[in-house]
Amino acid sequence: MKKTYKIEVDCANCANKMEDAARKTAGVREATVNFMTQKMIVEFEETHEPAAVMKQVLKNCKKVEEDCEIYL
């Protein structure tokens, strides 16, 4: 399952950090962050609940870029 989320991030480097953090989160098969459109596309593993995974994605992203935001 793929879902798109609106994000708020200040620079392209920060977007790359968010993408890496999202990809390393359990339950995420693939993640892409587009700085220009301020969107994150996440493909989830079938055995995981997207809402629970996204809470962890947000937590992991805040570790690398504390002023980022993902609108769940």
Side-chain angles (χ1 to χ4, degrees), residues 55-67:
K55 286 182 183 179
Q56 189 61 46
V57 167
L58 178 58
K59 192 175 189 180
N60 292 347
C61 287
K62 292 270 187 191
K63 288 179 185 175
V64 296
E65 189 54 45
E66 62 186 35
D67 63 343

Side-chain angles (χ1 to χ4, degrees), residues 34-70:
N34 187 314
F35 172 68
M36 296 301 288
T37 62
Q38 295 283 295
K39 291 186 179 174
M40 176 186 281
I41 300 170
V42 180
E43 183 177 353
F44 300 96
E45 294 180 3
E46 292 181 22
T47 57
H48 290 79
E49 175 60 39
V53 172
M54 284 308 295
K55 286 182 183 179
Q56 189 61 46
V57 167
L58 178 58
K59 192 175 189 180
N60 292 347
C61 287
K62 292 270 187 191
K63 288 179 185 175
V64 296
E65 189 54 45
E66 62 186 35
D67 63 343
C68 72
E69 196 59 59
I70 301 172

Side-chain angles (χ1 to χ4, degrees), residues 6-36:
K6 183 175 176 358
I7 62 169
E8 190 173 308
V9 63
D10 297 332
C11 69
N13 187 45
C14 299
N16 286 335
K17 289 179 184 179
M18 287 179 66
E19 184 174 283
D20 288 341
R23 285 181 174 168
K24 293 176 183 174
T25 304
V28 174
R29 180 174 292 155
E30 183 61 44
T32 305
V33 173
N34 187 314
F35 172 68
M36 296 301 288

